[in-house]
Amino acid sequence: MKTTGRVNGIISNIVIVKADGPVGQNEICYVRTGGTKMMAEVIKVVGDSAYVQVFDSTRGLKVGDKVEFEGHMLEATLAPGLLSRNYDGLQNDLEKMEGLFIARGSITDPIDYDAEWDFKPLAGAGDKVSAASWLGEVKEQWVDHKIMVPFTMTDTYTVKSVAAEGKYKVTDTVAVVTDAEGRDHAITMVQKWPVKQAVRCYAEKPRPSRVMATGVRAIDTFNPMAEGGTGFIPGPFGAGKTVLQHAISKQADADVIVMVACGERANEVVEIFKEFPELVDPRTGHKLMERTIIVCNTSNMPVAAREASVYTGMTIGEYYRSMGLKVLVMADSTSRWAQALREMSNRLEELPGQDAFPMDLSAIISNFYSRAGLVRLTNGATGSVTFLGTVSPAGGNLKEPVTESTKKAARCFYALSQGRADSKRYPAIDPLESYSKYLEYPEIREYLDERIEKDWVDLVYEGKTVVQRGKEANDQINILGDDGVPVEYHERFWKSELIDFVILQQDAFDAIDANCPMERQKMMYEMVIGICRRDFGFADFEECSQFFKGLINLFRQMNYSEWGSEKFEDYKRQIEAYLNQQTTK
């Protein structure tokens, strides 16, 4: 028997309901007004009063309107057919929606229940299985989509039967398993999981031990992201957060991409919808949209659904991770998610923290980021969820609560600088503010020693030191003037500029320079560090600046040349000749 209730009070999209029976935290309910049924979530229970946040506009809602509680939390539907779809935060398929704006109370199926899939069994009668064990697979786009024992089944089971190879709908029974007490359980291709609970159906969760290549030199070379790691990109408006996220999603070494547009302006989301279906994935040759899922809540959609969208995106990521796949989840922007939490907290009249954000904001962000990671599945395979979020601090203030709280949770920090953006040094990742804590991991050091070069991390720190010393020299030059400092200061500054222009800057809109493979990054970086180690002995600062400007120009032309091409090799020879010419003076 479902619990029912009546609306007792309304505070914007928070509705106070007098319940007639038991109600649980985070339980889903439907608020009825006129002929419209609106989904809502319980966020606080006090006695027989349930405070629910409605995922729609509450205009026209009246005290006394009926409410029905469903007895379960907000759930994501997990099944074949998720890839290449566009969802809102509640997993309604946006393409099935009618009209320009989403009508109040609109609910659509997240998958096509009539579609048939070519099922191939992987388990056999008598096999012992548990939650997330693979029973079979279907081909979804080009991904091997595993059909698993539902995450909600917590015991160990024996496979009684598995369907033969053939075409089936997601609602057809593809396996029957028996529990320890002899009861049979029919399993279909579709399962549901509460989005605010982490999926923990794996054997262990070790520390990340591999680097995820993104094709962006400022990340891969200077501050690498680990596969199964966490990172975030804070920066003021217009600093290039969205372009950088798009570049990473196109080029990252991942099997599945989940893009969560959380409260972004509609024009930025439209770019994703228009671009992704046309882009060719450089890794597979297929369309990029074929391995992408978009969860979209623009800034004019209900603020409560915005809060749900990041959880929906992460749950879908965890589902694909359980198939042994590498998943990249990107959220843009978690600041607007935090603003949704702030609105809820204020309407509940909770004690506010800094800048009126909830007191437990740091804990909420940490719990969410902890859901990412590399996992070893029960069958020995590994899967990963790498999470990268953006933060839009008001006025570019990196000391505000969301940035500070995220800094405690994320291991990579890619700070976008307004100064670098204004001087068109893109990507505007500040090399001195940004960091990757994964460079400290012995597992990552070992991986880089094997895959790139021995003591590669020491080489990276050497480059960071050159940039730091160059900034210090530039500060001295600005204070004392060009003639007021020794030539060595100018040389130090221009060596840091060489690293900046050649390694840290990259053209995201050039077909060649946009994606820089690790092999090319290694060669370019070693060339640049070799030059930085030289002592040139310039006569004056003008000779120094002219030399490095010419050198930077040659390197920039090299960056726009195809890797390994005759043109590329020609620029390499020109650089060697240019250096020898200066050395023999």
Side-chain angles (χ1 to χ4, degrees), residues 131-132 150-153 193 198-203 322 375-378:
F151 301 146
T152 51
M153 296 175 70
W193 182 259
V199 176
R200 293 195 173 89
C201 308
Y202 45 77
S322 300
V375 300
R376 188 162 288 110
L377 306 175
T378 49

Side-chain angles (χ1 to χ4, degrees), residues 118-123 135-138 162-166:
D118 289 316
F119 176 79
K120 180 180 162 189
L122 293 177
L135 298 171
E137 66 181 14
V138 300
V162 179
E165 195 167 335

Side-chain angles (χ1 to χ4, degrees), residues 218 223 412-416 428-436 464:
N223 296 301
C412 289
F413 176 62
Y414 303 117
L416 299 190
I429 298 171
D430 190 314
L432 301 176
E433 287 281 332
S434 307
Y435 58 78
S436 169
K464 285 175 179 270

Side-chain angles (χ1 to χ4, degrees), residues 536 538 543-551 578-579 582:
F536 291 97
F538 295 107
E543 185 188 347
C544 176
S545 67
Q546 288 304 316
F547 169 76
F548 276 103
K549 282 175 184 175
L551 185 62
Y578 189 82
L579 289 166
Q582 177 62 34

Side-chain angles (χ1 to χ4, degrees), residues 57-73:
S57 168
T58 54
R59 186 177 295 170
L61 191 65
K62 303 184 297 295
V63 170
D65 281 344
K66 193 178 177 185
V67 179
E68 288 178 359
F69 293 88
E70 294 296 300
H72 63 78
M73 294 196 282

Side-chain angles (χ1 to χ4, degrees), residues 426-482:
Y426 290 114
I429 298 171
D430 190 314
L432 301 176
E433 287 281 332
S434 307
Y435 58 78
S436 169
K437 290 183 179 175
Y438 294 115
L439 287 172
E440 301 165 9
Y441 284 25
E443 304 95 324
I444 296 291
R445 272 180 170 265
E446 201 176 301
Y447 179 87
L448 293 170
D449 285 350
E450 286 176 13
R451 299 300 174 99
I452 303 178
E453 189 178 304
K454 183 126 178 71
D455 298 325
W456 175 257
V457 174
D458 295 334
L459 209 62
V460 170
Y461 283 131
E462 186 179 337
K464 285 175 179 270
T465 304
V466 171
V467 174
Q468 176 67 48
R469 293 187 70 199
K471 182 187 181 297
E472 291 165 0
N474 188 42
D475 291 343
Q476 291 288 325
I477 293 165
N478 288 337
I479 294 166
L480 301 173
D482 288 332

Side-chain angles (χ1 to χ4, degrees), residues 159-187:
V159 177
K160 186 176 183 180
S161 64
V162 179
E165 195 167 335
K167 286 187 176 293
Y168 300 91
K169 292 181 180 179
V170 292
T171 50
D172 292 338
T173 299
V174 292
V176 176
V177 297
T178 308
D179 62 22
E181 294 173 8
R183 291 181 301 226
D184 288 348
H185 302 267
I187 293 173

Side-chain angles (χ1 to χ4, degrees), residues 141 157 186 193 321 332 369 378 407 477 510 517-518 525 571:
Q141 309 289 8
Y157 304 86
W193 182 259
R321 176 175 68 183
D332 188 11
Y369 270 76
T378 49
K407 227 174 175 181
I477 293 165
D510 181 75
M518 206 60 222
Y525 186 63
Y571 279 118

